[in-house]
Amino acid sequence: MPRLIDHEARATEITEAAWRVLLRDGVAGVSVRNVAAEAGVATASLRRSFPTQAALLAACLTLMGERVAARIRALPRARDPLAQALAALAETMPLDDERRTEMSVYLALGTAALSDPVLQQTYAAIDRQLEDLCAGVVDELLPKPRRRNLTREARHLHALIDGLALHVLHGMAGAQALAVLRAHLKSLSQSSTCAP
């Protein structure tokens, strides 16, 4: 009896292999031949899942976004909105090996997306997920008198997350980055009005 192939699991294995090639050899190294060799599959098998290099690179970003979103959904509900916000945002930052790999993939492919319209669409969709997360956090924490600043504060938070993630990849301690983020979230939840 022929063995049934779990195509979704196979696609995930290939995508994870593409991550390894990307981190080792850069975006230019993510060829069908290199990824097939890394995944231990025939090139024809890889092409059935990902007919083009663009499709493979887009899958790399999509898998990263799905994993971050799944971790955030799995978080236990905290009574303190600030603690909940910090926990959710921390899932997007490179604070352990898994998240460091994801952030490295995100940044490498974000740079590649500048000149690749197909990849740019996928990158923009992942970036919107982070934007929506930041908007939800700000909506939860921002006092009513400051609600007119919601969009601006969400953009500020998004930029802070991106900057802290880059700093952590380049050596900033994760605890230090979380302290900066915690202080910012606390300032959002305080009732004092900020300058327009």
Side-chain angles (χ1 to χ4, degrees):
M1 184 171 191
R3 188 169 63 96
L4 293 176
I5 296 172
D6 183 338
H7 293 287
E8 189 173 323
R10 170 68 60 86
T12 298
E13 289 169 9
I14 291 170
T15 304
E16 289 171 342
W19 282 12
R20 293 191 296 275
V21 172
L22 172 67
L23 297 177
R24 184 182 65 230
D25 303 331
V27 175
V30 184
S31 67
V32 169
R33 180 177 292 126
N34 290 345
V35 174
E38 181 72 26
V41 299
T43 55
S45 178
L46 188 146
R47 286 199 185 278
R48 276 194 288 280
S49 297
F50 304 104
T52 64
Q53 183 189 32
L56 181 58
L57 293 175
C60 287
L61 276 173
T62 300
L63 180 62
M64 189 255 352
E66 288 170 351
R67 288 188 173 172
V68 172
R71 287 196 306 268
I72 291 170
R73 281 193 306 272
L75 287 170
R77 194 74 191 149
R79 289 192 176 133
D80 176 14
L82 196 147
Q84 185 74 35
L86 185 63
L89 292 170
E91 291 301 334
T92 71
M93 297 176 65
L95 300 174
D96 56 25
D97 288 343
E98 179 182 5
R99 290 177 280 179
R100 180 174 288 274
T101 295
E102 291 168 353
M103 183 56 65
S104 297
V105 166
Y106 178 70
L107 292 174
L109 293 179
T111 301
L114 293 172
S115 59
D116 183 333
V118 174
L119 194 54
Q120 192 172 47
Q121 290 177 351
T122 307
Y123 181 82
I126 301 297
D127 198 53
R128 274 193 303 275
Q129 290 177 3
L130 180 55
E131 189 176 295
D132 291 345
L133 175 62
C134 290
V137 163
V138 169
D139 188 45
E140 182 72 28
L141 296 180
L142 204 64
K144 285 184 181 176
R146 290 175 55 191
R147 289 293 166 103
R148 69 184 186 283
N149 300 320
L150 195 140
T151 300
R152 184 187 68 200
E153 292 291 356
R155 287 182 184 146
H156 185 179
L157 178 58
H158 189 170
L160 178 63
I161 291 292
D162 284 348
L164 287 172
L166 189 59
H167 282 287
V168 171
L169 280 180
H170 287 281
M172 180 187 229
Q176 185 181 0
L178 288 175
V180 171
L181 181 57
R182 187 181 295 107
H184 179 71
L185 295 176
K186 190 173 180 181
S187 75
L188 279 178
S189 64
Q190 292 170 345
S191 60
S192 59
T193 58
C194 62

